[in-house]
Each structure stands twice: as C-alpha cells, then as structure tokens.
C-alpha cells in the first residue's frame, strides 16, 4: 500500500493551487527547521445537518478531508501530518488514507472537544506509543482545520517561518459582520467597532514546545469551552502571535451550501487545461487546430497531440503528468468506438489518473454532411453506452458529441465554435448523468439535404443539445 501511495502522490494534480504566484514561489522554498502539521477532524457535522461528518462528505466522489491532505502533501517541507478523528471514525480515516495514497498521514484518536483533540495530536510526537513511535518531534507545528481544503503553500510558509521567529503565528481575515453582545434578557448590550477587530482563521503555527507547554497548563474550562489556540500561547506562555492577512480561500466548510461552493472551486480548477487528441489523418488534425484556437479563448491551456501508445509519445506523457484531467478525441465520419478511444481509457486507468479526480473524455464525432451520409446505428449507440458505463465505474466520464459540418469555411468555423461551447460546459459541469449519451449540436435540416436523418439511425436515443 505504501508503494501505491507514493505512486498516487507523484501524480497528484495541483487542483487546489489557486495562486500562480504561490506556485512559482513554492518551487524555491526550503526551510532549515523541521515542520509537521496537526489536522483536527473530529467534528460531528451537526451544523451540516447530515448524518455523515462534514470532513467525510463527498466532493466529486472523494472525501473532503482527502483534499485537505492533498494540499498539505504538496508542500514538501511538511514532513508529517497527524489527523485527529473520533474513535468511531478511526478505521474510516485509515481507509481514506489507503485509498488515496496519503503516505505522510498518521491517524490519532481525539478527545471530546476541539482542544482535547489537538492536544492528543501533539502527544503523538512525544509519547512513545507503539503505533506512533516513528514520529519525530518537529521544531514547528502547523494546526489547521481538516475542513478548510483550499489552503496554499504561501500562507503555510508565512505562518511557519513567523512561528519559528516569534513562537506563534496565525492567519486573520476582516470581519464580515458586526459583532454584538446581548444581555441576559436577549436585548442588545453593546457592539464592537468592526474596524478594530479581525476574524481568527487557520492555519496557525507554533514552535512545538510553546504550544505543547500551553496545553499542559490548560484547565478543564479551557478544554471544554476554548477554541483559540493562539490565546492559549498568550495566556500560558506569554507569546503574542504574529498575525497575517490570509487569502479569501481559507474559509471553512460548515454548511451544506459550502460543499456546493467547494465542489465548484474544484471543478473550476480541473477545467483549466485540456488535451486534444487526433489521429494521423489530415482532416481531424485541421479540425483539431480549429477547436484548439476556439477553446484557448476560454480555457487556460489547450494542447493538441497526435495519438500514439509509445511510452515516449507526447500523448502518454501528457496522461502520466497528472496535469490534464480533460481529453478530447476527434473522430471524423465514423460513429464506431475506435480502438484508440479504448486505449486512451486504458492509459488513463493504468497511470491511476482517475483515482483522485474524475477524468472527462469527450469524443467529438465530426460528420461532414457533404462527403458522408453516415449516421449512428443502434449497435454503435449500444457500444458507446457500454464503454461509458464501464469507464464511469473507474471515475472516467465519457461524453459523445456529434458536430455536423459542411465544406464551407464559415460554416465549419461556426460549427466548431458552437461545439467548443458544449465541450466547455461538459468539462466544467462534469455530470455523470450525461455520460453514455449522444449529444448533438442541432442543425437546421434543409429540404433535400443529404444530412436528412436516415430512418435506420438511432434517432430516438439522441439528445439534442443547443450550445449554452
């Protein structure tokens, strides 16, 4: 399992890296002190209104906590990550670690409250229990909520280095609403001047000895009612934390609507690049170039490659890189499932690309209505649905789009432009419900046109989709 974990980690995509500046800065970052992280994940999901604790709720068929672990495992200088969960979720958390290859994570059973759980996580570095004896005490420890998945390396680096210098550091954000206090009768007592106060956020970082010593001195009241780690360092160790304005992406998934927002962020990140694959013939290559030009207006990175199974080919390298989660295969005047499409799906599965996030494969069937009278047959449609169903079980979403076009240059460009709009929507929505369907860019059928539907075609099985 350890080997599988390293394999997945090596191909882990930069989905949650929302800042290019942070990415470039992160390449040169090195620390001369050891850093570990503690992620409290013992919440019950009461405010979520779900029987499933929010840290285990699914985003694109993947537990939320796995995305947070991915964000930390992208940071090479964080050596150990301790995840603190309730006793009833101990086995579930270990299963998540095994399934998604989180090779630097260790699971610890928490306490009844947040502070008790964090203290248990810290103890994993100093108490010589049999299953935890390999964890080395770090010089600096970062504490971060398991349900804040969009943390970036930049803020982790800032709080870690500041904690090393000052003893404690944390992220803050401006208050959105004014804070008021009520009297025992439920009437307004006073309000705080919003400009003077900030909301305390995660991540927070401490020199290990400071935060551990603070927890050793905590009272029962602190453990029962306290929530702010920075305050403990001030109260019991006299350490005033260095505070930084954090980015807006540090928000915490608390309510069900937050899950939808988080899923939208992940989908948007996954849709930033696409790889167009063609055969060796001139016609699909030329149409691929047209599609690339249109998609580049709305998608950040669009590559155009000729299909090859060679290990040294650009196609296989693109699949293995873990940087593309969207593939388009151009199929001209043919509705049958080509061997290349099957091989593409197998290549995605072989490198475990879809183990972390759903991969979208859009097969574009370009039909020249002036050169071909072909149409989709029922048998072709059945085979397409069968392949899509099998691929869906492997987290690979296969969409099929029919674009009818003529030799007229203007009509070709217009057809490709409208088809690109549909492809963009498919990539961004990533809807499993549309896999196995045959989406048709609807055309007006002129009287006597050769593209008149053949009665043999599986027309009742089509879905006609106008471009959004």
């Amino acid at each position: 399992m350890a080997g599988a974990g390293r394999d997945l980690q090596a191909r882990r995509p930069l989905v949650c890296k929302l800042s290019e500046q942070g990415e470039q800065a992160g390449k040169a970052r090195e620390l001369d002190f050891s850093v570990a992280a503690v992620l409290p994940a013992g919440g019950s999901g009461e405010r979520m209104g779900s029987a499933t604790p929010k840290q285990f709720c699914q985003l694109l068929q993947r537990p939320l906590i796995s995305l947070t672990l991915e964000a930390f495992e992208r940071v090479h200088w964080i050596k150990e990550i301790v995840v603190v969960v309730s006793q009833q979720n101990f086995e579930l958390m270990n299963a998540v670690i095994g399934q998604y290859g989180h090779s630097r994570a260790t699971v610890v059973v928490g306490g009844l409250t947040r502070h008790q759980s964090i203290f248990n996580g810290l103890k994993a570095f100093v108490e010589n229990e049999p299953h935890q004896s390999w964890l080395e005490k770090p010089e600096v420890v970062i504490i971060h909520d398991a349900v804040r998945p969009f943390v970036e390396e930049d803020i982790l680096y800032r709080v870690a280095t500041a904690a090393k210098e000052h003893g404690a550091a944390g992220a803050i954000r401006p208050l959105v609403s004014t804070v008021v206090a009520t009297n025992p009768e439920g009437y307004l007592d006073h309000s705080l001047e919003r400009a003077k106060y900030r909301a305390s956020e995660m991540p927070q970082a401490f020199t290990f000895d400071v935060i551990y010593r603070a927890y050793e001195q905590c009272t029962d009241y602190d453990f029962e009612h306290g929530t702010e780690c920075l305050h403990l360092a001030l109260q019991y160790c006299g350490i005033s934390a260095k505070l930084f304005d954090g980015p807006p992406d540090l928000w915490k998934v608390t309510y069900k609507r937050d899950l939808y927002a988080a899923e939208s962020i992940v989908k948007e990140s996954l849709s930033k690049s696409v790889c167009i694959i063609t055969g060796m013939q001139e016609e699909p290559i030329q149409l691929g170039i047209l599609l690339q030009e249109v998609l580049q207006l709305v998608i950040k990175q669009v590559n155009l490659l000729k299909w090859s199974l060679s290990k040294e080919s650009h196609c296989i390298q693109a699949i293995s890189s873990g940087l593309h989660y969207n593939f388009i295969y151009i199929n001209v005047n043919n509705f049958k499932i080509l061997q290349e499409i099957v091989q593409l799906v197998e290549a995605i599965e072989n490198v475990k690309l879809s183990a972390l996030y759903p991969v979208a494969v859009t097969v574009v069937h370009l039909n020249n209505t002036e050169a071909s009278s072909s149409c989709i047959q029922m048998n072709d449609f059945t085979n397409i649905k069968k392949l899509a169903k099998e691929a869906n079980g492997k987290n690979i979403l296969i969409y099929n789009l029919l674009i009818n076009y003529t030799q007229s240059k203007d009509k070709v460009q217009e057809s490709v432009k409208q088809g690109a709009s549909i492809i963009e929507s498919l990539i961004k929505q990533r809807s499993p419900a549309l896999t196995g369907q045959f989406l048709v860019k609807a055309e007006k059928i002129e009287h006597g046109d050769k593209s008149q539907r053949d009665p043999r075609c599986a027309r009742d099985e089509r879905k006609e989709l106008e471009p959004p």
Side-chain angles (χ1 to χ4, degrees):
M1 182 61 72
R6 287 190 295 270
D7 188 50
L8 282 176
Q9 189 177 347
R11 297 186 175 91
R12 200 174 297 280
L14 306 182
V15 166
C16 302
K17 188 163 289 186
L18 305 177
S19 168
E20 288 185 26
Q21 182 179 359
E23 180 179 351
Q24 294 300 320
K27 291 180 180 179
R29 284 173 178 153
E30 297 290 344
L31 297 179
D32 58 0
F33 54 90
S34 58
V35 181
V38 172
L39 307 183
S44 62
E46 181 178 344
R47 284 178 291 182
M48 180 72 71
S50 170
T52 302
K54 56 193 173 186
Q55 60 272 24
F56 295 107
C57 286
Q58 300 283 309
L59 261 71
L60 296 178
Q61 302 179 3
R62 184 176 172 193
L64 174 65
I65 193 170
S66 179
L67 273 71
T68 308
L69 282 170
E70 178 190 336
F72 275 81
E73 288 185 328
R74 285 200 313 270
V75 182
H76 69 92
W77 43 264
I78 297 178
K79 302 304 182 184
E80 301 286 352
I81 306 166
V82 171
V83 185
V84 190
V85 299
S86 62
Q87 179 67 60
Q88 58 264 38
N89 290 323
F90 184 81
E91 294 300 328
L92 175 59
M93 188 65 237
N94 274 303
V96 170
I97 287 174
Q99 181 176 354
Y100 296 100
H102 297 301
S103 57
R104 277 185 271 168
T106 300
V107 188
V108 170
V109 175
L112 296 178
T113 67
R114 173 180 172 82
H115 274 328
Q116 288 173 341
S117 292
I118 294 174
F119 194 22
N120 281 8
L122 295 172
K123 289 177 181 178
F125 294 102
V126 296
E127 295 187 355
N128 190 26
E129 297 183 21
H131 64 290
Q132 298 165 358
S133 58
W134 66 84
L135 297 183
E136 295 184 8
K137 187 179 82 170
E139 295 176 70
V140 169
V141 61
I142 298 172
I143 298 174
H144 185 74
D145 290 319
V147 290
R148 297 178 191 259
F150 303 117
V151 61
E152 298 179 31
E153 181 176 0
D154 181 63
I155 189 65
L156 293 171
Y157 180 85
R158 292 176 71 188
V159 297
T161 53
K164 177 63 175 175
E165 180 179 356
H166 303 287
I172 56 173
R173 290 286 298 161
L175 287 174
V176 176
S177 302
T178 300
V179 178
V180 300
T182 59
N183 62 24
E185 289 75 36
Y187 294 96
L188 176 67
D189 185 81
H190 65 279
S191 64
L192 301 180
E193 187 177 344
R194 190 170 63 183
K196 290 184 178 180
Y197 295 87
R198 294 293 182 269
S200 179
E201 302 284 355
M202 290 288 175
Q204 297 175 353
F206 308 83
T207 54
F208 187 88
D209 291 338
V210 163
I211 191 63
Y212 193 80
R213 188 166 72 249
Y215 271 109
E216 285 184 312
Q217 299 177 68
C218 277
T219 65
D220 291 340
Y221 184 87
D222 292 326
F223 279 120
E224 185 69 26
H225 301 286
T227 59
E228 180 54 70
C229 302
L230 297 176
H231 179 73
L232 297 181
L234 177 63
Q235 181 176 352
Y236 293 111
C237 300
I239 300 296
S240 183
K242 175 67 175 176
L243 302 177
F244 296 97
D245 288 328
D249 304 302
L250 293 178
W251 52 276
K252 183 178 181 181
V253 175
T254 304
Y255 301 102
K256 189 167 290 187
R257 64 176 180 268
D258 297 329
L259 277 176
Y260 300 134
E263 185 170 290
S264 295
I265 291 174
V266 175
K267 286 181 177 179
E268 183 68 26
S269 298
L270 287 173
S271 63
K272 288 183 177 179
S273 69
V274 63
C275 190
I276 302 174
I277 298 174
T278 72
M280 305 301 290
Q281 296 177 341
E282 183 65 21
E283 191 171 9
I285 292 174
Q286 291 302 318
L287 290 168
I289 292 173
L290 281 177
L291 184 58
Q292 181 185 34
E293 291 173 352
V294 176
L295 285 175
Q296 282 176 334
L297 299 175
V298 292
I299 295 177
K300 183 177 178 181
Q301 181 180 357
V302 184
N303 293 341
L304 178 63
L305 303 173
K306 296 178 183 178
W307 174 250
S308 173
L309 269 180
S310 169
K311 291 183 179 180
E312 292 75 27
S313 73
H314 293 303
C315 276
I316 298 303
Q317 290 178 11
I319 295 170
S320 302
S321 70
L323 298 178
H324 300 286
Y325 271 68
N326 307 288
F327 297 89
I328 300 170
Y329 188 90
I330 296 183
N331 184 20
V332 178
N333 297 332
N334 189 348
F335 297 109
K336 297 187 182 300
I337 298 177
L338 299 182
Q339 186 63 27
E340 289 86 347
I341 300 171
V342 177
Q343 291 171 345
L344 173 60
V345 172
E346 290 175 348
I348 291 170
E349 183 185 7
N350 289 341
V351 300
K352 299 181 175 64
L353 183 62
S354 58
L356 299 175
Y357 296 97
V359 178
V361 176
T362 305
V363 182
V364 178
H365 302 267
L366 291 164
N367 186 41
N368 186 338
T369 58
E370 294 178 349
S372 170
S373 60
S374 61
C375 62
I376 183 169
Q377 305 296 319
M378 183 63 73
N379 186 55
D380 298 330
F381 185 77
T382 301
N383 291 334
I384 287 170
K385 292 189 71 172
K386 181 180 178 182
L387 177 62
K389 183 177 180 180
E390 292 174 354
N392 199 30
K394 303 168 186 175
N395 212 20
I396 302 172
L397 308 175
I398 299 182
Y399 305 109
N400 290 272
L401 173 63
L402 170 63
I403 300 178
N404 289 314
Y405 70 100
T406 66
Q407 291 299 106
S408 168
K409 184 177 180 180
D410 291 340
K411 288 187 177 180
V412 169
Q413 291 177 337
E414 182 61 25
S415 293
V416 171
K417 182 178 179 181
Q418 292 178 356
S421 297
I422 297 173
I423 292 170
E424 181 194 5
S425 296
L426 290 172
I427 288 174
K428 289 188 174 181
Q429 293 174 13
R430 274 179 150 70
S431 172
L434 292 177
T435 61
Q437 302 295 333
F438 213 97
L439 308 177
V440 181
K441 189 196 77 62
E443 294 277 2
K444 289 184 179 179
I445 299 176
E446 303 294 342
H447 181 70
D449 194 333
K450 289 174 66 177
S451 62
Q452 282 277 6
R453 291 173 176 171
D454 191 311
R456 297 170 298 168
C457 297
R459 60 177 178 269
D460 293 335
E461 300 290 346
R462 295 179 179 180
K463 280 199 171 209
E464 291 197 347
L465 181 67
E466 291 283 3

